Amino acid sequence: MDSLEQYYCEIPESIKCYRSYFDQFIVEDIPIEIFRDEKYVSLREYAVFRMGFSTVTKRNCRVLKDIIGENKVLEIMCGLGSYTATLRALGVSSIATDDMSWIDYDTSKYQGWKKNAWIEDVESLDAVSAIKKYGETVDFILMSWPPQHEPYAFEALQTMREVNPECRMIYIGEEKGGCTADDDFFDAMVDVSYEYKQIDLLRSTYRSWENDGYHDYQFIIK
C-alpha cells in the first residue's frame, strides 16, 4: 500500500495525521475546514483511495437514513461500498452492486482499491442489470459519482422509471458540466428533493472537495 500511496498521494508530513479521518471505516464526521483550506488539498487523492470519490460520514448517512426510513435501498456502481457499509451500520437494508469494470481503467491506481473494499458482498452487476434484478423490490436507488461522459447514469435512471416508477434515485455527485454523469442524465432528471423535509440538513452535513469550481451535491430524483 505504501508504494501506491507514494504514487499518487503526496501528503506533507505536517498534515499526515489527518489521514486518520479516511483510514477509519464509518467515521462520525470530518472537519469542514479540510475541504475548504487549500493546505489540505493533497489529502483528496488519499481519501479517494481509502473511501471512494464521495465523502461518506455517519453524520450525513444518519440523515439519509431518516429520509429512507424502513425502506430498502439498491446501491449501483458502489465502488468500495462505503455508502452501503455505513447505511447498514445504521440499520438500513442496502444491496450493493458494481461490475468492477473500472478496476482495469488505470491498473497502477485502482488495483489498490480492491484491498480497501468496505464490504465483501458486492454483487457483480452493471447498473442496468442490477435495477432490472432488484428495482421492483426497493424504494430507493443510490448512485454516487457515476462516470463522466458515459451513458450509465442516464440508462440507470431510465431503467428505474421503467421497472419501478415509484422508486426514487438518490444521486450524489457534481452538477451538470462537472465530472459525473453526462448531459443526457441531467436533462432527464426530475428533482423532487423539495418533497423531503430533511434535504437541507442532508446537504449541510455532506462534505465535498472542490473540483475546478464544482462541489458534490445530493439530489433525490424521479
Side-chain angles (χ1 to χ4, degrees):
M1 182 182 296
D2 288 342
S3 61
L4 282 169
E5 289 174 15
Q6 290 170 8
Y7 177 70
Y8 66 102
C9 301
E10 299 291 339
I11 302 172
E13 286 293 333
S14 61
I15 64 170
K16 278 188 175 180
C17 59
Y18 292 94
R19 293 183 303 181
S20 62
Y21 286 109
F22 307 101
D23 283 333
Q24 301 172 32
F25 287 177
I26 313 180
V27 67
E28 176 62 28
D29 202 1
I30 301 173
I32 197 168
E33 58 265 24
I34 287 179
F35 303 91
R36 292 183 173 176
D37 192 324
E38 288 189 5
K39 73 179 181 181
Y40 299 108
V41 167
S42 59
L43 284 170
R44 186 174 189 268
E45 285 298 322
Y46 185 81
V48 169
F49 181 71
R50 298 293 289 167
M51 186 177 283
F53 285 101
S54 291
T55 303
V56 184
T57 67
K58 185 181 283 189
R59 184 184 179 201
N60 184 248
C61 282
R62 200 176 286 116
V63 184
L64 198 53
K65 177 191 176 182
D66 196 25
I67 290 173
I68 295 167
E70 299 298 319
N71 297 309
K72 294 181 180 179
V73 177
L74 166 65
E75 184 176 8
I76 57 174
M77 297 181 274
C78 73
L80 298 175
S82 49
Y83 264 112
T84 284
T86 307
L87 289 171
R88 285 177 179 174
L90 295 170
V92 176
S93 177
S94 180
I95 302 166
T97 63
D98 195 315
D99 68 359
M100 298 296 175
S101 56
W102 46 267
I103 285 288
D104 296 323
Y105 216 57
D106 181 345
T107 303
S108 60
K109 183 172 183 176
Y110 292 114
Q111 285 294 322
W113 276 31
K114 289 192 247 185
K115 300 177 182 178
N116 294 321
W118 288 40
I119 54 177
E120 298 180 353
D121 62 338
V122 176
E123 187 168 353
S124 181
L125 290 170
D126 63 77
V128 168
S129 297
I131 296 170
K132 287 181 176 178
K133 181 174 182 178
Y134 294 110
E136 291 183 347
T137 67
V138 300
D139 305 279
F140 289 93
I141 292 174
L142 176 61
M143 182 176 69
S144 171
W145 267 76
Q148 180 185 23
H149 303 319
E150 297 287 355
Y152 309 137
F154 174 72
E155 292 170 354
L157 178 59
Q158 295 297 83
T159 305
M160 180 189 79
R161 290 168 173 170
E162 294 167 4
V163 171
N164 185 354
E166 300 305 313
C167 194
R168 295 293 178 262
M169 179 177 283
I170 300 167
Y171 164 77
I172 303 164
E174 295 181 353
E175 296 183 80
K176 187 175 182 179
C179 289
T180 51
D182 62 4
D183 288 351
D184 287 341
F185 171 78
F186 290 105
D187 292 341
M189 64 179 275
V190 177
D191 182 13
V192 293
S193 304
Y194 64 90
E195 295 180 359
Y196 298 84
K197 63 181 181 180
Q198 307 95 333
I199 192 63
D200 289 340
L201 182 59
L202 182 72
R203 290 169 174 170
S204 67
T205 57
Y206 183 68
R207 302 295 182 237
S208 170
W209 306 90
E210 182 174 337
N211 179 40
D212 293 330
Y214 288 92
H215 289 273
D216 285 14
Y217 213 55
Q218 295 175 309
F219 288 104
I220 301 175
I221 62 182
K222 67 176 184 179

